[in-house]
Amino acid sequence: MGKFKIHDALGLRAGKNFRLADVDPAVTPGFSGSKADLAARFARYDEELYELQERLFANGRAHEDGAPSLLVVLQGMDTSGKGGAIRNVFSVFDPQGTKTVGFGKPTDEELAHDFLWRIRKHDPRPGQIVAFDRSHYEDVLIQRVHKWVDEDEVDRRFAAIRDYEQELAGRSVKILKIFLHISPQFQKENLLERTEREDKYWKYDPSDIEERGYWDEYMAAYEDAIRRTDEIWAPWYVLPTDNKKYARMALKFLMVDALRHLELSWPAPDFDPEQERQRILDAE
Amino acid sequence: MGKFKIHDALGLRAGKNFRLADVDPAVTPGFSGSKADLAARFARYDEELYELQERLFANGRAHEDGAPSLLVVLQGMDTSGKGGAIRNVFSVFDPQGTKTVGFGKPTDEELAHDFLWRIRKHDPRPGQIVAFDRSHYEDVLIQRVHKWVDEDEVDRRFAAIRDYEQELAGRSVKILKIFLHISPQFQKENLLERTEREDKYWKYDPSDIEERGYWDEYMAAYEDAIRRTDEIWAPWYVLPTDNKKYARMALKFLMVDALRHLELSWPAPDFDPEQERQRILDAE
């Protein structure tokens, strides 16, 4: 029954020695589970996200190439709620300053290029917040689990991912990588729901059950990917997600924290406010 | 003090004989102005928009080329609140199924192409909802007002716009064109605010005052554009917008109405729900 504090969310940072087995998907560190507490936090974070994003966007308009941006990479097993989490967090943002990209099965054209080709198309512009629903990490997860690529290629991809993310960071792109960590039991409930409700059928794919059979291999691949790509400039956070609302709260907080650290002020006017005020009053 | 009814919003439809002088930007047809009424309507429309968009998106996923889509074109003078209206309405949607595009001053590359080239890049995909913040109409508004194009070219552009929109409609794109109609007095207040608040400076452009000098020419150009391009498949609605909340409510209602008319059901499953349910229960 504690209060959710800054260090609880930041404590979800993975790091180089991260072990996935240490994270129980059902825990909610620092959170009592009270509905009133949750609603109050959502309201507070939403208010702050609203202003921080507008400030970021304003800086993008004013400074163009010089302004920072934010890239949020969401990964997780089927039914972990990546899309819902993005929707929930992004609803407070001005859509003109954000972009959400879902990466599904690569097209033939995409397969004919390097695996980062389709990713690079969506590099954040200055002032923009971009969310990836799945990402370049699929190329070292599903492809590795199914052995569609050999381990040498996996190594090459990890090196390419590290270079890519470092390059982004060098262009003032703040990166947050999030793994929504659910249990197999939780996934089972979610999959069942998709076969039981008319408004959920469209989300169900029979091949999800085959993927589920590779659970342990996926967990091993996630752990390795997280350990090999967690960097100061591209940190991984592993959010326990059997309680979806908890995970969303933690995600909102992490985004608040990332945006706060940009220490953005409102752009200075490139005109004389008092003079322009007078021009408006005199006009017409 | 009446209730806002369906016909009040639909009564804002322009039509071929539309006269802009008939619309007072300050009226709020059918709306009493009560805060409680407004909040209740926003909540109701938001709930319906949420479900209708999900249904549309699900159909896009399930049927791909066969599914309809929605294009909302927003036009209005500076400070009429186009961006804010989009933000307000789109906050309930799943960002993966929507796109917002702002059309500013054309780039050199865009100017080297036909005026519709940059627009066509953003044609809605099946199941998608797209908002244009300014649009191809700028090419028969600002350009005409400033006489950057002659009247023959204006005629050619109107013909191209009509063809383009008819082509979209033929591909099941539902089109809503919205003019957010404000008074010069209301704009003056808004411009003043932008010179008085640190968090608004970035929205102010000294050239807005010069544009304001062409108010009557803009109104004439809007009226003509609306009359010449209002069609059953691409209707114009002129929303009195001196009361921003009223305009947003009307916009929400018009989108509810447009989406309802698609009469979308949830896609039928392409699997046997009972059999899949059993597979999930048996797995692992």
Side-chain angles (χ1 to χ4, degrees):
Chain A
M1 286 289 287
K3 296 249 177 193
F4 184 77
K5 294 203 188 68
I6 289 176
H7 67 258
D8 294 312
L10 300 182
L12 302 168
R13 169 80 189 279
K16 293 279 184 204
N17 300 312
F18 171 72
R19 295 191 329 158
L20 194 50
D22 292 343
V23 185
D24 177 351
V27 298
T28 58
F31 178 57
S32 70
S34 124
K35 273 196 180 174
D37 184 17
L38 192 77
R41 277 168 198 293
F42 268 52
R44 183 144 45 89
Y45 297 156
D46 281 352
E47 197 179 332
E48 200 168 352
L49 286 170
Y50 184 102
E51 190 190 316
L52 287 165
Q53 187 261 337
E54 190 164 274
R55 232 176 242 251
L56 180 66
F57 184 67
N59 275 274
R61 280 284 173 89
H63 304 304
E64 297 188 353
D65 289 353
S69 58
L70 177 63
L71 172 64
V72 184
V73 172
L74 275 110
Q75 287 288 155
M77 298 293 281
D78 289 329
T79 81
S80 58
K82 299 177 289 296
I86 292 172
R87 177 178 191 157
N88 184 256
V89 177
F90 276 57
S91 66
V92 301
F93 294 147
D94 183 346
Q96 300 215 29
T98 63
K99 184 160 76 166
T100 300
V101 191
F103 291 99
K105 202 177 153 209
T107 63
D108 288 342
E109 191 190 13
E110 287 166 353
L111 286 172
H113 290 81
D114 178 71
F115 75 103
L116 288 173
W117 180 74
R118 65 173 184 162
I119 307 292
R120 286 179 182 274
K121 286 188 187 175
H122 302 288
D123 284 358
R125 292 192 306 269
Q128 197 180 35
I129 300 181
V130 175
F132 285 175
D133 180 343
R134 303 187 187 273
S135 66
H136 41 299
Y137 284 95
E138 291 297 316
D139 296 282
V140 289
L141 291 166
I142 184 170
Q143 302 226 357
R144 189 181 194 188
V145 163
H146 288 282
K147 303 196 193 321
W148 295 333
V149 287
D150 64 28
E151 286 297 307
D152 283 349
E153 174 62 12
V154 169
D155 289 343
R156 193 194 69 78
R157 289 184 183 181
F158 274 123
I161 287 173
R162 283 191 299 264
D163 286 349
Y164 170 58
E165 293 179 353
Q166 196 162 10
E167 177 201 320
L168 285 180
R171 284 189 276 132
S172 302
V173 179
K174 182 120 185 144
I175 304 171
L176 273 184
K177 299 182 292 193
I178 308 290
F179 175 47
L180 297 177
H181 185 32
I182 58 172
S183 66
Q185 295 71 33
F186 185 68
Q187 189 192 58
K188 189 172 224 172
E189 290 160 27
N190 293 331
L191 286 174
L192 282 172
E193 192 185 43
R194 292 181 179 183
T195 63
E196 286 161 357
R197 283 176 52 176
E198 181 198 36
D199 61 338
K200 298 280 185 188
Y201 288 157
W202 67 279
K203 295 186 174 187
Y204 182 79
D205 182 337
S207 74
D208 292 348
I209 302 185
E210 278 95 71
E211 287 307 301
R212 185 173 159 75
Y214 292 93
W215 194 276
D216 294 342
E217 289 85 345
Y218 269 107
M219 292 306 109
Y222 264 110
E223 181 175 275
D224 194 49
I226 289 167
R227 292 170 69 132
R228 290 169 74 169
T229 62
D230 182 277
E231 299 288 353
I232 283 274
W233 59 83
W236 272 105
Y237 292 88
V238 177
L239 310 193
T241 306
D242 277 8
N243 181 331
K244 265 187 193 178
K245 287 192 171 160
Y246 174 79
R248 289 178 183 184
M249 182 179 74
L251 176 59
K252 275 181 205 273
F253 173 77
L254 290 169
M255 291 185 66
V256 167
D257 183 68
L259 291 167
R260 270 186 201 156
H261 273 85
L262 298 177
E263 296 185 340
L264 294 168
S265 48
W266 291 105
D270 56 359
F271 54 87
D272 176 340
E274 186 42 47
Q275 182 184 318
E276 288 302 314
R277 198 180 123 75
Q278 204 51 55
R279 275 184 76 212
I280 297 166
L281 289 169
D282 294 344
E284 175 214 16
Chain B
M1 288 287 288
K3 295 247 181 198
F4 184 78
K5 293 202 192 67
I6 290 177
H7 69 257
D8 294 312
L10 300 182
L12 302 169
R13 169 81 189 277
K16 293 279 184 205
N17 300 313
F18 170 73
R19 295 192 328 159
L20 194 50
D22 293 342
V23 184
D24 176 352
V27 298
T28 58
F31 177 58
S32 69
S34 124
K35 272 196 182 177
D37 184 17
L38 191 78
R41 278 169 199 294
F42 267 51
R44 183 144 45 88
Y45 296 154
D46 282 351
E47 195 178 336
E48 201 167 352
L49 286 170
Y50 184 103
E51 189 189 316
L52 286 165
Q53 187 261 338
E54 188 163 275
R55 231 176 243 249
L56 179 66
F57 185 67
N59 275 272
R61 280 284 173 90
H63 304 305
E64 296 187 354
D65 289 354
S69 58
L70 177 63
L71 173 64
V72 184
V73 172
L74 274 110
Q75 287 288 155
M77 299 294 280
D78 289 329
T79 84
S80 59
K82 300 177 290 295
I86 291 172
R87 176 177 191 158
N88 183 255
V89 177
F90 276 57
S91 66
V92 302
F93 295 147
D94 183 346
Q96 300 216 29
T98 64
K99 184 160 75 166
T100 301
V101 192
F103 292 99
K105 201 179 154 207
T107 63
D108 288 343
E109 190 190 13
E110 287 166 354
L111 286 172
H113 291 81
D114 179 71
F115 75 104
L116 289 173
W117 179 75
R118 65 172 183 163
I119 307 293
R120 285 179 182 274
K121 285 188 188 177
H122 302 287
D123 284 358
R125 293 193 304 270
Q128 197 179 36
I129 301 182
V130 175
F132 284 174
D133 179 342
R134 303 189 187 272
S135 66
H136 42 297
Y137 283 96
E138 292 297 316
D139 296 283
V140 289
L141 291 166
I142 185 171
Q143 303 228 353
R144 188 181 194 188
V145 163
H146 288 281
K147 304 198 192 323
W148 296 333
V149 288
D150 65 27
E151 287 295 309
D152 283 348
E153 175 61 11
V154 169
D155 289 343
R156 192 195 69 79
R157 288 185 183 181
F158 274 124
I161 288 173
R162 282 192 299 267
D163 286 351
Y164 170 58
E165 293 180 352
Q166 194 161 13
E167 179 201 317
L168 286 180
R171 285 188 277 132
S172 302
V173 179
K174 183 121 185 143
I175 303 170
L176 273 184
K177 297 182 294 193
I178 307 290
F179 175 47
L180 296 177
H181 185 31
I182 58 172
S183 65
Q185 294 73 30
F186 185 68
Q187 189 192 55
K188 189 172 223 168
E189 291 160 28
N190 292 330
L191 286 175
L192 282 173
E193 189 185 46
R194 292 182 180 184
T195 64
E196 288 162 357
R197 284 176 50 177
E198 181 199 34
D199 61 338
K200 298 280 185 189
Y201 289 158
W202 67 279
K203 295 185 174 186
Y204 182 78
D205 182 339
S207 74
D208 291 349
I209 302 184
E210 279 94 70
E211 287 307 300
R212 185 172 160 76
Y214 293 93
W215 194 277
D216 292 344
E217 290 85 345
Y218 269 107
M219 292 306 110
Y222 265 110
E223 180 175 276
D224 194 48
I226 289 168
R227 292 169 70 132
R228 289 168 75 170
T229 62
D230 182 277
E231 298 288 351
I232 283 277
W233 60 83
W236 273 105
Y237 291 89
V238 177
L239 311 193
T241 305
D242 277 7
N243 181 331
K244 264 188 193 180
K245 288 193 170 159
Y246 173 79
R248 289 179 183 184
M249 181 178 75
L251 175 60
K252 276 181 203 272
F253 174 76
L254 289 170
M255 291 185 66
V256 167
D257 184 69
L259 290 167
R260 271 187 201 153
H261 273 87
L262 298 177
E263 297 186 341
L264 294 168
S265 47
W266 290 105
D270 56 359
F271 54 86
D272 176 340
E274 185 43 47
Q275 183 184 317
E276 288 302 314
R277 197 179 124 75
Q278 203 52 55
R279 276 184 74 213
I280 297 166
L281 290 169
D282 293 344
E284 176 215 16

